[in-house]
Amino acid sequence: MLTLENLSFDVADAKGEKGIIKNLSLTIGEGKFVVITGPNGGGKSTLAKLISGIEKPTGGRIYFDGEDITDKSITDRANLGISYAFQQPVRFKGVQVLDLIRLAAKTKLSAADACRYLSEVGLCAKDYINREVNASLSGGELKRIEIATVLARSSRLSVFDEPEAGIDLWSFQNLIQVFERMRENTKGSILIISHQERILNIADEIVVIADGQITKQGSREEILPEILGTSAAVDACSMFYKGGDKK
């Protein structure tokens, strides 16, 4: 499905060019639930933005279903079936939840159909369908509404950048349930950037990135015990996995 081939991303700083992603290659297969983790500043969020088209690589190629999408825009990639969910979902004053889901689905869904997506993410549809996507919604509510729009798009690849960021423990627990349902019911692939053990624990595959490069990659059964049992890994991840209990 998705192939990153020798991908690089450099930015200019006071000392010259700095490599954020360094000659990274990765393949994500059809119907996979993949979690990318690693220390802060290692390049995880940058990689998610490169995949979605928010940032453009300075080297290497990106292929989706065998098609070279390296130079395609965010819109082009969305039309191909790639969705991206921000760490902090955007608020839209004056836009109702129903409107947002219809925009995502690219069709004038009935209120009943839109409510089905809200129900899938654990929200009482009748309480949210006509609400504005504004500051009256909590971080956890916004995250779940954003996931509902991803579901409405029927994305081939859904990318989530640290979905646990900025939400409380109750919302985090509900978020885990939403991802568990997505893992069971979604036909496409899911890619999540996360430090949280509970998200890592439902992955098919875990990829560890540090200093812009893949340092570990394999199944959950292979990688998770190694990460959790290595003190060096705990020290390396300043937000590490027990942080989910504090969200």
Side-chain angles (χ1 to χ4, degrees):
M1 173 184 276
L2 179 75
T3 300
L4 311 179
E5 187 177 279
N6 302 319
L7 204 65
S8 297
F9 181 72
D10 300 328
V11 295
D13 60 13
K15 298 179 181 179
E17 293 291 326
K18 180 182 178 181
I20 306 300
I21 299 295
K22 304 173 183 177
N23 201 37
L24 185 150
S25 295
L26 174 67
T27 297
I28 296 174
E30 187 82 36
K32 295 295 184 180
F33 190 117
V34 179
V35 178
I36 294 178
T37 192
N40 291 331
K44 304 182 301 299
S45 291
T46 298
L47 184 62
K49 291 173 182 176
L50 289 169
I51 292 169
S52 64
I54 295 173
E55 298 284 5
K56 298 296 183 184
T58 52
R61 313 303 297 175
I62 302 173
Y63 299 93
F64 188 66
D65 286 340
E67 179 181 356
D68 189 340
I69 64 168
T70 310
D71 298 319
K72 289 189 177 297
S73 67
I74 298 173
T75 301
D76 290 337
R77 296 184 199 205
N79 289 335
L80 288 172
I82 300 176
S83 294
Y84 176 82
F86 292 87
Q87 282 188 31
Q88 300 296 331
V90 180
R91 300 174 189 268
F92 300 92
K93 186 176 180 180
V95 176
Q96 293 184 332
V97 172
L98 175 59
D99 300 325
L100 198 62
I101 294 175
R102 283 174 170 170
L103 283 170
K106 297 182 180 179
T107 184
K108 193 172 178 61
L109 291 174
S110 68
D113 285 337
C115 284
R116 177 169 55 84
Y117 293 114
L118 291 174
S119 297
E120 286 185 32
V121 297
L123 294 176
C124 181
K126 67 182 180 65
D127 293 337
Y128 288 90
I129 195 69
N130 294 316
R131 287 185 65 176
E132 284 192 17
V133 188
N134 58 24
S136 69
L137 295 168
S138 71
E141 289 170 327
L142 280 169
K143 288 285 176 72
R144 284 189 278 172
I145 289 169
E146 185 176 47
I147 294 172
T149 65
V150 171
L151 294 174
R153 292 187 198 112
S154 299
S155 302
R156 299 277 321 288
L157 175 65
S158 302
V159 181
F160 297 90
D161 187 5
E162 296 195 24
E164 70 274 11
I167 63 174
D168 56 33
L169 175 60
W170 186 88
S171 296
F172 177 73
Q173 291 171 335
N174 281 275
L175 193 65
I176 295 297
Q177 294 174 0
V178 170
F179 285 133
E180 286 175 336
R181 287 196 293 271
M182 285 187 69
R183 186 178 185 274
E184 293 172 0
N185 302 325
T186 301
K187 294 181 180 179
S189 296
I190 300 168
L191 175 63
I192 300 181
I193 310 298
S194 181
H195 292 281
Q196 302 299 333
E197 181 182 350
R198 290 185 62 189
I199 293 179
L200 288 161
N201 204 42
I202 58 175
D204 296 317
E205 184 175 344
I206 295 173
V207 179
V208 182
I209 292 180
D211 194 27
Q213 298 175 311
I214 294 174
T215 59
K216 301 180 191 296
Q217 181 179 359
S219 69
R220 175 183 68 247
E221 292 79 10
E222 293 171 326
I223 302 299
L224 190 55
E226 183 178 353
I227 293 175
L228 296 178
T230 305
S231 60
V234 176
D235 293 338
C237 297
S238 59
M239 289 179 63
F240 194 56
Y241 307 96
K242 292 182 180 179
D245 295 332
K246 300 176 183 177
K247 292 288 182 184

